[in-house]
Amino acid sequence: MKRQDDRPWRTLDPFRGKMFTGEWPTLVELFDITCKRFPHRPCFRQFIPEDWTLDFTQAHDHIIGIANYILAQGTKKGDKIAVSGKNSCEWALAYLGAIYAGCVIVPLDAALKLPEMEHFMEFAGVKGAFLDNDKLQKLSAEGGSRLSFALGLDKVSGDAYLLDHEIAGPLSEDAPKAISGDVAAILFTSGTTGIPKGVQLTHENIVSDTFLAECYMPVDAYDVWYAILPIHHAYTMVAVFMEGIATGAEVVFGKRLAINQLFKELRDGKVTMFLAVPMLFNKLLSGLMEGIKKKSIIAYGLIRFGMGFSGFVKKLTGKNIGRKLFGGLLRNIALESNRICICGGGPLPASTFKMYNQLGIDFVQGYGLTEASPITHLNPVDAYKETSVGKLFPTLEQKIVDPDEDGNGLLYIKGSVVMKGYYNNPEATAEVLAEDGWLNTGDVGHLDDEGYLYLTGRKRNIIVTEGGKNVFPEEVEDHFQLYNEIEQICVCSYVKDKDMKIEGIRAIVYPSEALRNKYAEGKVLQTKVQTVIDQVNKGLPSYEKIEKLVISMQPLPETSTKKVKRFEVAKIFEDQ
């Protein structure tokens, strides 16, 4: 295992005072520094529609060409430029081109419908946009776009393809220069119909978070990062895209979350750093274990015994013998080249965390939120705790406010990663960000004696039972992650007694495809899912037991990082 550095940003020291001033470089200065350090190292790669790799110098040339085009459209410092599309080299080049032009990038979810996307762009005052071809065509069909320009991220965009509009040569002398405290990106977290909440992240926020993460996660220029989750989201944008730029490592862009394509790209790209959400890691592990069990129950027993021994040795000595013992199994899920798997975006069962480490993968999970750039905690790879989301990054501060008898209270964060505020929404900003810099995360948890954070749930999601107990839906949902019968679950309250204002606990479940195909709708399907509910209920305290089951035959609405939209689901099923 590579030694972790207590100050990974020391790589910036030779350039301090020469290529940047102050504590942290801007994103432009950071990319320039990496180009100077690793001019011919692979930078960006994609396999669809064809295998295309750019080294840092080639990427830099394209970025400057795009920046010159943006500047030629009359943009000024701080103007907003939207980028929306599938993960791709073009997405990355457009993003950085806008940054080099002194603009603020507004990454938007490609899954948004055009009216929703236009709502965000209008609110942010977007001047230009880089879009996938389907959105570009719809925008053109409307004919009334107020944008100064709109270019496509696909070659099929024809005359509007962004790389055909580059203006070659050095960066225009008219290009404004940002400083570290300037806003670099506005990331929308909600508000498709009301007042949007656009998180303003500065250059300092993003760059500092990138380097602070390396204190617990040793990485270098020879790593290969895999961007398979939507890159508009802060999680992938910073933890993969920016991490690759900061270290001079290659970033492989995945456009489709299809297992066969994912396996191919992991293998062909020789990916060493794989970042994903709990759902994906659970599915890979579940498929692997089920496959072994079907072939031979004896082999399954032996492998589980070996995994237990491997995990014991790793915990006791720090030696990772799992990779040698289970190399064949890792090849089955295309992780033979993988060095570290990182899980975020939601709660992960401790058993999943443990089993990946037993198989020989340095598997860690972390915690954060978009308003904190987004990562604040991470499990050190050589000192992880399966039930914790990790330790606070160095230089940041945290406090637990109003803890209960178990030590659980609201988590507050302070430091260089905390957002500047919500764009054009001072009321929402004041609700979460104090004048002295403390950010109310809205999450409830506690700390152990070594400073590891254990999350309980979201403050706003708490269900108060008849007995006055606080139930966190996330904790209950956690118990269902490894049940293949359930595709999605949303635990929420229902009105048990309207006059007495008593809440009960219900589960809204979208069953697995196998169950839906076999039993369709009706009592049998309800009974099969109820059996799983009953199994989980047996292990829950009485006040956390699910009292009511609602079956949905349609997928539950979810975010781009596969989190169920809890309040939207509750509203849809409020009468059931």
Side-chain angles (χ1 to χ4, degrees):
M1 183 181 296
K2 301 176 184 179
R3 185 183 64 84
Q4 287 170 233
D5 196 336
D6 59 353
R7 189 174 164 270
W9 52 92
R10 71 176 66 248
T11 56
L12 298 172
D13 289 346
F15 307 97
R16 200 179 300 275
K18 297 175 183 176
M19 295 184 71
F20 76 100
T21 57
E23 187 173 4
W24 299 104
T26 64
L27 292 173
V28 170
E29 291 164 341
L30 178 63
F31 198 86
D32 284 345
I33 288 169
T34 302
C35 287
K36 193 170 184 66
R37 294 175 65 204
F38 308 106
H40 301 301
R41 289 282 305 154
C43 177
F44 302 139
R45 185 180 186 183
Q46 64 187 32
F47 292 98
I48 298 174
E50 59 201 21
D51 194 341
W52 182 34
T53 302
L54 295 166
D55 66 23
F56 276 92
T57 298
Q58 292 168 330
H60 187 268
D61 289 344
H62 282 296
I63 290 162
I64 296 301
I66 294 168
N68 284 336
Y69 168 82
I70 294 172
L71 290 165
Q73 311 313 304
T75 57
K76 302 181 297 296
K77 181 179 179 180
D79 280 348
K80 316 302 187 302
I81 305 296
V83 59
S84 176
K86 300 179 184 69
N87 297 359
S88 66
C89 294
E90 289 95 338
W91 194 103
L93 297 174
Y95 180 107
L96 292 168
I99 296 291
Y100 267 74
C103 298
V104 175
I105 200 75
V106 181
L108 295 173
D109 189 347
L112 289 172
K113 295 178 180 177
L114 187 60
E116 296 171 330
M117 191 173 289
E118 288 182 310
H119 177 64
F120 285 125
M121 290 197 291
E122 183 178 355
F123 178 79
V126 165
K127 296 292 180 67
F130 297 96
L131 307 169
D132 269 355
N133 186 53
D134 61 337
K135 290 291 193 309
L136 190 66
Q137 287 183 335
K138 289 176 183 176
L139 195 67
S140 300
E142 290 188 352
S145 173
R146 56 168 184 73
L147 299 176
S148 299
F149 69 89
L151 295 181
L153 297 173
D154 315 278
K155 285 188 177 180
V156 293
S157 302
D159 293 340
Y161 181 47
L162 84 163
L163 295 189
D164 292 335
H165 289 263
E166 296 175 294
I167 299 177
L171 184 63
S172 171
E173 293 180 358
D174 296 330
K177 293 192 182 211
I179 60 173
S180 190
D182 287 341
V183 174
I186 299 175
L187 285 76
F188 287 102
T189 59
S190 63
T192 56
T193 55
I195 298 176
K197 289 169 69 177
V199 177
Q200 298 180 99
L201 297 183
T202 66
H203 290 262
E204 178 186 15
N205 289 154
I206 295 170
V207 173
S208 66
D209 199 44
T210 300
F211 281 98
L212 291 175
E214 295 174 30
C215 293
Y216 298 151
M217 181 182 64
V219 293
D220 61 30
Y222 295 95
D223 277 313
V224 179
W225 294 80
Y226 187 41
I228 186 60
L229 299 179
I231 197 171
H232 78 277
H233 194 277
Y235 183 32
T236 305
M237 190 180 75
V238 174
V240 178
F241 179 40
M242 291 302 170
E243 195 66 59
I245 289 172
T247 57
E250 182 179 6
V251 177
V252 173
F253 296 103
K255 288 193 176 187
R256 292 200 301 258
L257 191 54
I259 293 297
N260 288 339
Q261 183 67 32
L262 181 144
F263 283 174
K264 185 178 188 306
E265 290 175 346
L266 284 171
R267 289 192 180 102
D268 292 350
K270 294 181 171 55
V271 170
T272 65
M273 308 294 293
F274 181 26
L275 179 149
V277 291
M279 180 199 73
L280 183 53
F281 283 124
N282 285 332
K283 282 193 172 183
L284 290 177
L285 185 62
S286 175
L288 178 66
M289 292 293 116
E290 284 298 317
I292 297 168
K293 194 181 292 185
K294 285 180 181 178
K295 286 184 179 179
S296 169
I297 193 66
I298 296 175
Y300 176 79
L302 290 173
I303 285 171
R304 288 307 305 269
F305 175 81
M307 287 170 62
F309 178 70
S310 167
F312 173 77
V313 171
K314 188 175 184 181
K315 275 284 192 182
L316 188 66
T317 68
K319 291 183 179 179
N320 187 354
I321 64 172
R323 186 169 291 278
K324 289 185 177 179
L325 288 176
F326 306 112
L329 294 182
L330 294 178
R331 279 192 290 275
N332 288 343
I333 50 175
L335 293 181
E336 62 267 27
S337 299
N338 197 265
R339 195 167 62 78
I340 299 178
C341 283
I342 307 153
C343 186
L348 178 80
S351 58
T352 300
F353 193 164
K354 181 183 292 186
M355 288 171 71
Y356 272 100
N357 274 291
Q358 290 173 340
L359 285 168
I361 295 292
D362 283 331
F363 189 98
V364 298
Q365 67 172 326
Y367 163 78
L369 64 164
T370 305
E371 288 85 346
S373 302
I375 312 169
T376 60
H377 295 68
L378 196 66
N379 264 279
V381 292
D382 57 353
Y384 59 87
K385 295 186 179 182
E386 288 96 350
T387 54
S388 168
V389 294
K391 298 178 69 174
L392 183 72
F393 289 163
T395 78
L396 303 183
E397 299 177 66
Q398 66 183 343
K399 61 182 179 181
I400 302 293
V401 175
D402 297 330
D404 60 18
E405 63 274 13
D406 297 318
N408 289 308
L410 268 171
L411 173 68
Y412 282 69
I413 302 291
K414 186 177 182 180
S416 63
V417 302
V418 172
M419 69 170 179
K420 191 169 185 175
Y422 295 118
Y423 178 75
N424 204 21
N425 197 338
E427 294 82 8
T429 300
E431 288 178 7
V432 300
L433 188 58
E435 290 185 5
D436 59 1
W438 282 101
L439 173 70
N440 178 352
T441 67
D443 287 311
V444 177
H446 66 273
L447 303 170
D448 68 13
D449 293 340
E450 296 180 281
Y452 284 77
L453 175 65
Y454 300 80
L455 288 182
T456 310
R458 294 287 293 173
K459 176 76 172 177
R460 64 177 182 171
N461 297 340
I462 292 176
I463 301 170
V464 181
T465 68
E466 184 177 2
K469 289 284 190 179
N470 290 339
V471 175
F472 293 92
E474 297 90 344
E475 282 193 330
V476 180
E477 292 165 354
D478 223 11
H479 294 277
F480 291 91
Q481 289 201 43
L482 298 181
Y483 283 90
N484 294 329
E485 296 91 341
I486 292 177
E487 183 74 19
Q488 294 172 298
I489 183 168
C490 179
V491 172
C492 54
S493 65
Y494 72 99
V495 179
K496 197 172 179 181
D497 188 317
K498 188 174 182 179
D499 294 332
M500 298 297 293
K501 296 182 179 179
I502 295 173
E503 291 184 329
I505 301 174
R506 64 174 172 163
I508 300 166
V509 171
Y510 178 51
S512 67
E513 184 178 8
L515 276 186
R516 297 196 312 272
N517 290 341
K518 188 171 183 179
Y519 299 107
E521 300 184 48
K523 291 184 178 180
V524 178
L525 180 61
Q526 183 93 10
T527 301
K528 292 293 182 183
V529 177
Q530 185 63 53
T531 301
V532 176
I533 299 290
D534 293 342
Q535 289 176 10
V536 170
N537 272 345
K538 287 179 182 178
L540 295 175
S542 58
Y543 60 88
E544 285 189 351
K545 293 184 187 299
I546 294 168
E547 305 162 87
K548 185 177 181 180
L549 170 64
V550 176
I551 297 291
S552 171
M553 294 305 291
Q554 298 296 323
L556 305 181
E558 61 184 14
T559 68
S560 57
T561 53
K562 304 302 179 184
K563 290 181 184 175
V564 170
K565 295 181 178 179
R566 189 178 307 280
F567 294 102
E568 191 172 324
V569 171
K571 187 174 181 180
I572 293 171
F573 294 92
E574 61 184 346
D575 296 326
Q576 297 185 37

